[in-house]
Amino acid sequence: MVYLDHNATTPIDDRVLEAMLPFLKVFYGNPSSLYRHGRIVRSAIDTAREQIAALIGTQPPQIIFTSGGTEANNLALTALKPGAKIAISAIEHPSITEPAENLTSQGHELKLLGVNKEGCVTQEAVDEIVRFRPDLTSIMLANNETGVIQDITGYARQLNDQGILVHTDAVQALGKIPVDFARLGINMMTVSSHKIYGPKGCGALIVDKNVILRPILYGGGQEHGVRAGTENVPAIIGFGKAAELAGLELAQRTEHVLNLRALLEEHLQSIPGIFIFGKEIDRLPNTVQFGLEGVDGEMLLMKLDQKGMAVSSGSACASGGGKPSPVLAAMGVSAELAKSAIRISLGKDNTESDIMEFFNQLKSLVIPG
Ligand code: PLP
């Protein structure tokens, strides 16, 4: 299989797996236990917290471990006081849009912020937020489908000055571009382990001192009482190791995927009628999403699968639904072109031959004969 879907998930790094294994069998103690066996595990969790804090420019106590990005996003939204107002961008992941929509049934007011045709939240949208005066705004750092990166630092300053809390979903950005919580100037940030070669089912919400979180889960004092439940120790250890490696290897991983993407885009452009979304704008170095007028993206995905190519037709969670991507719709892309979309997301272990194999298979399917 040629795996070109790293925005959906990444394979676990061997070094991450090696770091996790002792915590599945040897050090199985409960980190809340007071005897030595428990204290060893507690100290390993502390190390993981430090490794993640070092990658994202925050202090270890600001990290609240969760079961993944989805839970962290839900937790960020429930931090709101009853009746609070929320503003989110129209291109958020469903783990933001769906809980936000659900909150409206509990009396919260919600504003959806449009994006321009490149997929960027504009200054006009930010001015609109200021006029709406929400308690919390959530704008993702990088989009999972197009890879388009938002200027969070610019917006956060303006919104914070108005007393508006800012959350960003950095699940896709982490490990692909530098992500610095302090420098972004935000109040909450979501990250996830399995997008950075760590295990699945582990993530975190990063929180600053201005935020008082209301738990989703009750029944234990773990994670400062904000997220009850015995910690997923092996996954947290793996997330920590994956974060350490992402920090050490960021520059080399970025250069590698950028070179591969340039090669891919150069070839893609030889296909008549191809359209690359967000091409002229700041994007994640590993992501390219393209559309081909007249082609059914889901059908093409299945045909590519038969040839051993793993790609996505949009967000992994949204695929199979048969509906055009809400992200592309928000960018003003026609339903027909959006339905043809294919997303390629490269990873650190992809090679030039993966790119050429994919391109040749694609060409044979879309330019028959
Ligand atoms: N946010 C974004 C932007 C994502 O792409 C994803 C997963 O695809 C999530 C949140 C959810 O993260 P998790 O799979 O860890 O629940």
Side-chain angles (χ1 to χ4, degrees):
M1 174 178 67
V2 174
Y3 186 74
L4 300 172
D5 200 16
H6 294 80
N7 288 8
T9 196
T10 55
I12 201 159
D13 189 297
D14 286 343
R15 295 162 294 179
V16 170
L17 182 60
E18 208 176 299
M20 290 170 68
L21 285 175
F23 293 88
L24 284 160
K25 190 75 187 150
V26 185
F27 303 115
Y28 53 80
N30 188 319
S32 299
S33 297
L34 297 179
Y35 43 82
R36 190 169 163 270
H37 202 52
R39 290 200 311 273
I40 291 172
V41 177
R42 166 68 49 214
S43 147
I45 290 183
D46 290 344
T47 302
R49 223 184 278 279
E50 281 160 19
Q51 288 165 319
I52 296 163
L55 177 65
I56 58 178
T58 188
Q59 295 301 317
Q62 293 178 266
I63 297 172
I64 295 161
F65 286 119
T66 64
S67 65
T70 300
E71 185 188 329
N73 278 343
N74 276 260
L75 186 59
L77 294 189
T78 56
L80 302 170
K81 61 179 187 278
K85 289 159 77 173
I86 327 157
I88 65 170
S89 87
I91 56 163
E92 296 300 309
H93 188 264
S95 56
I96 284 290
T97 50
E98 290 184 22
E101 278 157 16
N102 187 47
L103 280 169
T104 59
S105 65
Q106 296 166 28
H108 293 265
E109 224 180 303
L110 171 66
K111 190 168 203 66
L112 216 54
L113 303 160
V115 292
N116 64 15
K117 65 178 187 0
E118 314 285 0
C120 290
V121 171
T122 58
Q123 182 57 47
E124 289 77 57
V126 178
D127 294 340
E128 210 182 308
I129 308 176
V130 171
R131 285 193 296 277
F132 178 61
R133 301 210 68 78
D135 298 270
L136 176 76
T137 296
S138 185
I139 301 174
M140 71 199 324
L141 186 48
N143 185 262
N144 41 306
E145 294 186 35
T146 57
V148 168
I149 299 168
Q150 306 292 335
D151 172 23
I152 300 292
T153 320
Y155 312 146
R157 200 171 308 124
Q158 197 185 341
L159 297 171
N160 268 177
D161 284 351
Q162 302 288 327
I164 300 166
L165 292 176
V166 181
H167 166 261
T168 197
D169 176 346
V171 165
Q172 290 296 343
L174 192 71
K176 297 175 188 143
I177 56 170
V179 173
D180 189 309
F181 183 75
R183 208 169 297 158
L184 284 167
I186 51 180
N187 308 99
M188 289 190 278
M189 181 169 88
T190 293
V191 289
S192 176
S193 155
H194 74 106
K195 311 284 185 180
I196 64 162
Y197 305 92
K200 293 167 182 57
C202 187
L205 184 66
I206 319 304
V207 186
D208 85 356
K209 60 182 183 329
N210 295 320
V211 181
I212 301 159
L213 278 182
R214 297 190 313 154
I216 303 176
L217 302 177
Y218 294 86
Q222 293 91 349
E223 302 301 294
H224 319 293
V226 171
R227 206 284 183 171
T230 303
E231 295 87 341
N232 183 352
V233 177
I236 290 173
I237 305 304
F239 189 11
K241 185 67 187 176
E244 181 191 72
L245 295 171
L248 291 171
E249 298 175 1
L250 182 65
Q252 122 201 14
R253 290 182 190 179
T254 304
E255 194 190 338
H256 177 65
V257 292
L258 266 179
N259 286 338
L260 293 182
R261 188 177 72 178
L263 178 71
L264 175 60
E265 290 190 348
E266 188 191 312
H267 283 82
L268 284 178
Q269 269 152 1
S270 67
I271 298 178
I274 200 150
F275 186 87
I276 297 178
F277 302 110
K279 181 155 194 320
E280 303 308 326
I281 209 89
D282 206 9
R283 273 179 300 156
L284 292 175
N286 77 320
T287 307
V288 51
Q289 191 182 34
F290 59 87
L292 263 168
E293 208 83 60
V295 166
D296 180 324
E298 296 256 311
M299 197 89 88
L300 181 55
L301 180 151
M302 299 317 291
K303 285 185 184 159
L304 285 164
D305 179 37
Q306 283 165 6
K307 307 274 182 193
M309 307 285 123
V311 303
S312 166
S313 62
S315 158
C317 327
S319 70
K323 282 196 208 128
S325 143
V327 173
L328 295 178
M331 290 162 63
V333 174
S334 72
E336 197 199 344
L337 187 58
K339 275 198 140 187
S340 74
I342 291 285
R343 177 190 71 187
I344 304 300
S345 47
L346 305 167
K348 67 184 178 68
D349 300 319
N350 282 131
T351 60
E352 280 190 14
S353 93
D354 291 341
I355 300 294
M356 292 319 298
E357 207 178 326
F358 166 74
F359 176 70
N360 290 329
Q361 294 293 359
L362 176 73
K363 205 168 72 170
S364 71
L365 291 169
V366 298
I367 318 177

